[in-house]
Amino acid sequence: MKPSLFAFLLYRTAIGLAVTVTVYALWPRWWVAVPLAIVAAIWIAWEGSHAVLEGLDALASPKSREPAAEPSETAFVEFDDLVATLEMRATQKQRELVAITEVLECMRLALEENSVADRASVSFSGGRSFAVEAAPMAEGGAVMVLREVTRVEQMERAQKEFVANVSHELRTPLTAIRGYVEILLEDVYEGDADQGPVNEFLRGILKNCARMERLTEDLLVLANVESRERELQPVPLEVETLVQEVVDATSGLFKEDVELHIGRVAKVQVNADIDAVLQVLSNLIENAIAYGRGAEGTVVILSAETTDETPEMVTFSVQDFGMGIALDHRERIFERFYRADKTRSRESGGTGLGLSIAKHLVEEHGGRIWVESDLGKGSRFCFTLPQVREVEKAEMGESVEKAAEI
């Protein structure tokens, strides 16, 4: 309303002034100009007041008090787009804040605690990732290095997705092949000399088919673990219960010349996902049976102890008395597909993924895994899991009591 009223008054003033000036130019007498100016002023005032009253009447009319029309669907769509944009910007800012915090923490550790600090991957806005490392300097201060790993992470992600997809697609034809071979074996008689070679060929196909099935299954498990699609559900578990569960799960592996001995087992609890821990222990026991054969057969010792060095953790160990592992193989033995003895691995049908899967599962629990070995004396695979503290036990007891009261 303000711009319209201003234009209205300006227009009326211009007309009044033009008429007054024109008349005065024709009859340049003061007694002519003064009355004209008075008349023009009165006319302008009357027109302005009339315009203001009309505007007030329009605002006071019932029509002006009617509720505004509901916004259209288009308006809602535009509002949703605005909200999505704001959420995206907020997420980017939060990611930037987290990244800056991690970088500053590395620098703080280097400056204040005089220690080397690093982060394998820090994500910044724009989808870029950097490996960060900060180290103290002898003369004071610290040096920080940021190395971009965006491309490397993209390639690793693509590789893992490819492996997972291929492994998934292989499961169906392998299952069909195995079923057909088993049907054919039922119709072949070992006592028939003519069918003896056929029987041998079919058993060879069945053996390699089973090996391929184990490989595809391990690849799928590893892909799920590395991509964190499989979320662990750690709960307080008795160590004795875990040990008994793994003994029951692997009982079919122990033959006449294979023995499993239970060493020291601590009577404490650990925070762990029972399925994941059973998979780790089963892989370690299978490896001990496959590679730990000594002169008098295979002996495996399973233990779960607490130590003074790491009282907050429980150390699980699987020990064998086989040929052992050379020093140059120990650092790489937890890599995917790495085998210290390729000949024996082919004979045993291993996939080379069990230890890599075990490493990822243990580290997701907040523990670590390693191997101790002496050539000719055997190997001892160890890993740690966090122990349930007394405070946590008390809190859990209170929670159970409150639930019972409710």
Side-chain angles (χ1 to χ4, degrees):
M1 177 179 173
K2 289 182 179 179
S4 300
L5 180 60
F6 176 77
F8 176 84
L9 292 176
L10 182 62
Y11 179 70
R12 294 297 187 274
T13 303
I15 292 176
L17 183 61
V19 172
T20 302
V21 170
T22 302
V23 174
Y24 184 76
L26 296 174
W27 292 282
R29 299 290 185 269
W30 65 268
W31 47 268
V32 175
V34 171
L36 283 175
I38 294 172
V39 172
I42 294 173
W43 176 67
I44 293 170
W46 182 84
E47 290 284 347
S49 62
H50 181 68
V52 171
L53 290 175
E54 285 183 351
L56 292 175
D57 291 338
L59 291 174
S61 64
K63 184 178 180 179
S64 65
R65 293 194 297 268
E66 291 180 358
E70 295 184 359
S72 62
E73 294 183 0
T74 305
F76 279 118
V77 171
E78 293 178 354
F79 185 73
D80 291 341
D81 293 340
L82 177 61
V83 171
T85 302
L86 291 175
E87 289 180 348
M88 182 181 67
R89 294 289 179 85
T91 303
Q92 290 178 350
K93 293 298 182 184
Q94 185 177 10
R95 187 182 296 113
E96 289 178 359
L97 180 61
V98 172
I100 293 172
T101 302
E102 292 187 9
V103 172
L104 292 178
E105 178 63 16
C106 289
M107 182 59 74
R108 186 193 68 80
L109 292 174
L111 290 173
E112 297 180 3
E113 300 185 12
N114 200 35
S115 61
V116 177
D118 59 12
R119 297 291 185 274
S121 178
V122 178
S123 299
F124 289 82
S125 61
R128 301 177 67 184
S129 300
F130 291 84
V132 182
E133 183 173 358
M137 301 178 65
E139 61 274 12
V143 59
M144 176 175 287
V145 178
L146 277 75
R147 178 171 54 86
E148 187 170 4
V149 294
T150 308
R151 181 59 178 168
V152 175
E153 289 185 347
Q154 291 175 347
M155 293 177 64
E156 289 181 349
R157 193 179 305 113
Q159 180 184 14
K160 292 172 184 177
E161 292 177 356
F162 172 76
V163 170
N165 292 335
V166 170
S167 301
H168 183 75
E169 294 298 327
L170 283 174
R171 298 177 74 178
T172 302
L174 285 173
T175 302
I177 293 171
R178 181 171 184 171
Y180 294 148
V181 172
E182 288 176 348
I183 293 174
L184 292 173
L185 279 172
E186 293 178 358
D187 296 333
V188 175
Y189 298 97
E190 296 183 3
D192 191 339
D194 294 335
Q195 295 186 352
V198 176
N199 185 290
E200 183 180 352
F201 295 153
L202 291 176
R203 292 190 180 279
I205 295 172
L206 187 61
K207 179 181 178 180
N208 284 280
C209 184
R211 183 178 179 182
M212 284 290 294
E213 286 180 330
R214 288 196 302 271
L215 176 59
T216 55
E217 189 65 31
D218 285 348
L219 283 171
L220 285 173
V221 172
L222 184 61
N224 290 335
V225 171
E226 290 182 336
S227 63
R228 299 187 182 276
E229 292 182 3
R230 172 184 174 182
E231 294 185 2
L232 299 183
Q233 303 294 332
V235 295
L237 297 171
E238 295 288 344
V239 173
E240 292 178 324
T241 302
L242 275 175
V243 171
Q244 186 58 50
E245 288 283 347
V246 74
V247 169
D248 295 339
T250 58
S251 59
L253 302 174
F254 300 102
K255 303 175 183 178
E256 296 180 358
D257 58 344
V258 179
E259 298 178 6
L260 175 64
H261 297 266
I262 305 299
R264 295 181 58 185
V265 177
K267 295 183 178 181
V268 295
Q269 291 183 331
V270 291
N271 280 319
D273 183 303
I274 186 168
D275 293 330
V277 176
L278 289 179
Q279 185 169 8
V280 173
L281 287 172
S282 297
N283 285 342
L284 296 181
I285 291 175
E286 287 183 23
N287 284 346
I289 294 173
Y291 305 109
R293 179 174 296 278
E296 299 179 359
T298 303
V299 178
V300 180
I301 300 178
L302 172 62
S303 304
E305 310 172 68
T306 56
T307 62
D308 295 334
E309 297 178 358
T310 55
E312 73 281 1
M313 309 294 284
V314 176
T315 301
F316 291 78
S317 64
V318 176
Q319 184 175 4
D320 64 68
F321 300 91
M323 295 300 296
I325 303 171
L327 182 61
D328 55 340
H329 294 300
R330 294 175 201 168
E331 294 297 327
R332 300 189 56 192
I333 200 167
F334 294 100
E335 296 178 6
R336 288 178 290 178
F337 301 109
Y338 186 83
R339 293 186 176 96
D341 189 342
K342 296 179 176 57
T343 303
R344 295 183 64 184
S345 298
R346 285 193 294 269
E347 293 174 355
S348 61
T351 62
L353 295 172
L355 291 179
S356 182
I357 294 172
K359 182 176 184 291
H360 282 283
L361 292 176
V362 169
E363 290 179 349
E364 277 199 61
H365 280 88
R368 69 184 187 94
I369 188 170
W370 70 95
V371 60
E372 302 168 355
S373 183
D374 290 327
L375 285 177
K377 297 183 179 180
S379 303
R380 181 171 178 259
F381 284 85
C382 308
F383 68 92
T384 58
L385 293 177
Q387 183 180 168
V388 178
R389 299 174 299 174
E390 294 298 328
V391 176
E392 293 175 346
K393 292 181 181 179
E395 292 176 351
M396 279 192 304
E398 293 177 0
S399 301
V400 172
E401 290 178 2
K402 291 180 181 179
E405 293 175 359
I406 295 174

